[in-house]
């Protein structure tokens, strides 16, 4: 049995020709090399993460742009579809306007009776559902954008150009005018507005003269020499 010598401590292996003090710096350098490698690896991961984020942002922007273009395309197609429908309906109803004029004349002469009345009312109901609206009334101011003047006259009882008779009613669909209302218009009588101011001036002059005469009488007239 081998007896251990008291106070004996094992020493690390030291290369020949080296002292124990030379082994300590070498161990410290190996311990410091490990954190440096971890930092380099972390920097590489951060760079890769930045690249992934940049690519993600680019793809997100592309997706948003494509979505906006698709929404604009859908709105444009819907707008064109509505416009084509309105044009088609307007063309169809334009062909029916002479029939509606005949129905109106028959109603004015009391000839809209019997089965003809039912057919006419069904036709008017159908075109109204398609958006056809009739306009044009006697007494409304003349508007060249929706009225077509076929007759012209002067009248003393109007103050502006006025529709005095509706020869053919106008029709519109929404804001689109299919046919303007064909009307007879009347304008104010020429000279009616110029005569009245002259008469007013004459009356004002007479009143002024009367006031001057009254003032002369009250003052007793001029002093006699």
């Amino acid at each position: 049995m081998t007896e251990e010598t008291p106070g004996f401590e094992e020493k690390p292996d030291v290369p020949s020709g080296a002292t124990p003090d030379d082994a300590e710096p070498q161990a410290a350098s190996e311990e410091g090399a490990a954190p440096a490698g971890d930092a380099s690896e972390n920097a590489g991961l951060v760079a890769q993460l930045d690249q992934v984020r940049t690519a993600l942002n680019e793809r997100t922007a592309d997706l948003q742009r494509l979505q906006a273009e698709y929404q604009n395309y859908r709105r444009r197609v819907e707008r064109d579809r509505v416009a084509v429908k309105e044009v088609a309906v307007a063309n169809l109803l334009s062909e029916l306007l002479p029939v509606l004029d005949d129905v109106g004349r028959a109603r004015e002469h009391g000839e809209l009776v019997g089965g003809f009345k039912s057919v006419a009312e069904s036709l008017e109901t159908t075109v109204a559902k398609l958006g056809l609206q009739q306009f044009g009334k006697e007494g409304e101011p003349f508007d060249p954008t929706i009225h077509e003047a076929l007759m012209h006259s002067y009248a003393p009882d109007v103050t502006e150009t006025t529709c005095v008779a509706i020869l053919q009613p106008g029709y519109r669909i929404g804001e689109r005018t299919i046919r303007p209302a064909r009307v007879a218009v009347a304008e104010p009588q020429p000279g009616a507005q110029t005569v009245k101011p002259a008469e007013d001036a004459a009356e004002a002059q007479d009143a002024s003269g009367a006031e001057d005469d009254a003032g002369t009488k009250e003052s007793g007239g001029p002093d006699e020499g």
Side-chain angles (χ1 to χ4, degrees), residues 47-61:
Q48 292 180 0
L49 181 60
D50 292 339
Q51 292 178 356
V52 171
R53 287 177 177 173
T54 302
L56 178 61
N57 293 334
E58 292 177 354
R59 300 298 180 271
T60 303

Side-chain angles (χ1 to χ4, degrees), residues 97-112 116 120 123-124 134 167 169 171:
L97 294 185
V99 180
L100 296 175
D101 293 336
D102 293 338
V103 171
R105 284 190 290 267
R107 181 178 287 110
E108 291 177 356
H109 292 84
E111 299 176 356
L112 198 63
F116 179 50
L123 176 62
E124 291 175 339
Q134 180 178 320
L167 307 180
Y171 290 95

Side-chain angles (χ1 to χ4, degrees), residues 144-225:
T145 61
I146 59 174
H147 297 139
E148 181 181 354
L150 301 182
M151 299 178 63
H152 177 270
S153 62
Y154 296 96
D157 56 344
V158 297
T159 58
E160 59 181 342
T161 304
T162 306
C163 300
V164 294
I166 306 300
L167 307 180
Q168 278 186 337
Y171 290 95
R172 67 164 64 98
I173 298 179
E175 300 298 329
R176 181 193 299 271
T177 300
I178 297 180
R179 187 183 73 183
R182 295 167 180 172
V183 300
V185 300
E187 292 183 344
Q189 192 71 29
Q193 295 181 352
T194 57
V195 173
K196 187 175 181 180
E199 292 177 353
D200 293 341
E203 292 177 358
Q205 185 175 2
D206 294 341
S208 177
E211 291 177 357
D212 293 341
D213 293 341
T216 302
K217 290 180 180 179
E218 289 178 358
S219 60
D223 295 336
E224 295 181 357

Side-chain angles (χ1 to χ4, degrees), residues 21 25 27-28 30 33 49 55 58 74 83 89 93 96 119 133 137 144 175 180 185 207:
D21 295 337
E30 291 179 355
L49 181 60
E58 292 177 354
R74 288 187 58 186
V89 172
L93 295 178
L96 295 176
V119 173
Q133 299 176 353
K137 295 181 180 180
E175 300 298 329
V185 300

Side-chain angles (χ1 to χ4, degrees), residues 81 102 126:
R81 186 185 66 82
D102 293 338
T126 301

Side-chain angles (χ1 to χ4, degrees), residues 84-98:
V84 170
K85 179 181 178 181
E86 290 180 353
V87 171
V89 172
N91 292 336
L92 173 63
L93 295 178
S94 297
E95 299 296 329
L96 295 176
L97 294 185

